Amino acid sequence: QKYRRRPMRKYRQRCTSVALIIILSLFVSPSKAFGNTASMIRGVGVLRTMRGKDVSAAGAISKLVKDFIEDIATKVPSATPVRATMVNARGSRVVLVEEWATLADYQMYMEKQIGGEIDELVAPLVSEPVTCEFFPEALHICQGDSSYERKDVGILVRQKTCSPVNGAKLRDAQREAYERQMGFEPGCTCCIILSNSSEDTSQVRIIELWRTMQDFFFHESSEWHAKGEEKVVPLVIDMDCDFVDGSRIRH
């Protein structure tokens, strides 16, 4: 399902109702903290959205993109993203996040026109032109193994604030929350924050992935999630949130 919030002082839900979270959390065994103190890795990133003509086309797009990225990692290692995460969202959308360690690495990718090759590859399968948004700030933290065949579950989020200043505050609040939650959630596999886009510096884009829905509901009902929301909620004036399934192709 897709949840959309109009400008407001606060929001009452985050991707699912509080009542459902409370009920399901009764059946979830809390994960034990294991002392992960890792920080988010900083780089630059691109969010590419490809809307398939139907569900079957979206599946074909995912497979083509995964194989393409694995292929360029062998043929053009200097321009290959160091991290690549792909999710499937509502409306036959396939969203690919590619990340590079530096702006120079991304520029090499652009010089070799690799992004254009992806767009041409999926062109027969999409219902509308592929969109691509560049983010000078891409923050990433992950744990555990990953497999394209084993899909994680998660959320794809857009959160908007009232100004670029608050956009930076929101980025920092989410970063603090994600670095904290990794120490308590073995089931959380990946958190990505994309910010400072030239299209809108007042908002951030987010991907979070978990191994199972139980891991997700455990997160939603946790004390550390509530603590993070205390800083995040006052900053957000509008947001979209889609449930997704996805995987880390490179990490």
Side-chain angles (χ1 to χ4, degrees):
Q1 296 179 351
K2 185 174 181 180
Y3 298 79
R4 186 174 182 84
R5 291 160 177 80
R6 299 300 179 184
M8 54 189 168
R9 293 183 182 277
K10 60 182 180 179
Y11 55 82
R12 298 185 299 273
Q13 296 177 321
R14 186 175 183 266
C15 304
T16 187
S17 69
V18 173
L20 181 59
I21 292 172
I22 294 172
I23 292 171
L24 288 176
S25 67
L26 297 176
F27 299 94
V28 180
S29 299
S31 300
K32 293 181 179 179
F34 58 97
N36 186 336
T37 57
S39 299
M40 298 193 84
I41 302 169
R42 181 181 294 274
V44 303
V46 164
L47 186 146
R48 177 173 271 102
T49 302
M50 300 159 281
R51 188 181 294 274
K53 293 179 178 178
D54 52 34
V55 174
S56 177
I61 289 170
S62 297
K63 182 65 166 58
L64 282 172
V65 171
K66 189 267 295 186
D67 291 345
F68 179 83
I69 289 178
E70 291 179 346
D71 188 47
I72 64 168
T74 301
K75 295 179 179 179
V76 198
S78 61
T80 303
V82 291
R83 292 173 293 281
T85 306
M86 186 161 53
V87 300
N88 296 278
R90 183 188 180 194
S92 300
R93 280 185 302 148
V94 179
V95 176
L96 173 69
V97 174
E98 300 168 275
E99 299 171 61
W100 295 265
T102 68
L103 181 60
D105 294 334
Y106 169 69
Q107 290 171 337
M108 175 70 71
Y109 170 93
M110 292 297 291
E111 288 174 7
K112 295 186 177 296
Q113 300 182 338
I114 294 173
E117 290 184 38
I118 294 178
D119 296 348
E120 291 178 8
L121 186 68
V122 304
L125 298 167
V126 297
S127 61
E128 59 189 47
V130 175
T131 62
C132 186
E133 187 173 1
F134 173 69
F135 294 86
E137 293 179 304
L139 302 174
H140 187 117
I141 191 168
C142 63
Q143 61 188 358
D145 61 351
S146 180
S147 168
Y148 175 76
E149 286 70 30
R150 190 210 74 221
K151 299 295 185 183
D152 291 339
V153 299
I155 52 176
L156 172 67
V157 180
R158 177 191 65 86
Q159 291 182 325
K160 183 174 178 59
T161 70
C162 65
S163 68
V165 171
N166 278 1
K169 290 180 180 179
L170 177 59
R171 174 204 61 209
D172 293 342
Q174 292 288 29
R175 176 177 183 166
E176 177 185 312
Y178 295 154
E179 290 178 342
R180 178 173 56 243
Q181 83 183 42
M182 279 293 183
F184 294 96
E185 298 183 32
C188 182
T189 59
C190 176
C191 297
I192 302 170
I193 303 172
L194 302 172
S195 67
N196 205 26
S197 164
S198 58
E199 294 185 15
D200 191 345
T201 56
S202 70
Q203 71 178 20
V204 300
R205 302 295 298 271
I206 291 167
I207 289 179
E208 291 182 80
L209 295 175
W210 293 265
R211 291 191 181 280
T212 67
M213 285 301 294
Q214 280 194 328
D215 291 320
F216 167 72
F217 285 120
F218 173 61
H219 161 78
E220 287 286 302
S221 61
S222 68
E223 293 181 3
W224 48 90
H225 170 58
K227 182 177 180 180
E229 294 289 76
E230 290 176 1
K231 289 186 177 181
V232 168
V233 170
L235 295 169
V236 176
I237 62 171
D238 186 34
M239 74 178 277
D240 300 326
C241 180
D242 283 319
F243 282 112
V244 299
D245 61 71
S247 57
R248 292 171 285 153
I249 303 172
R250 290 178 59 80
H251 61 96

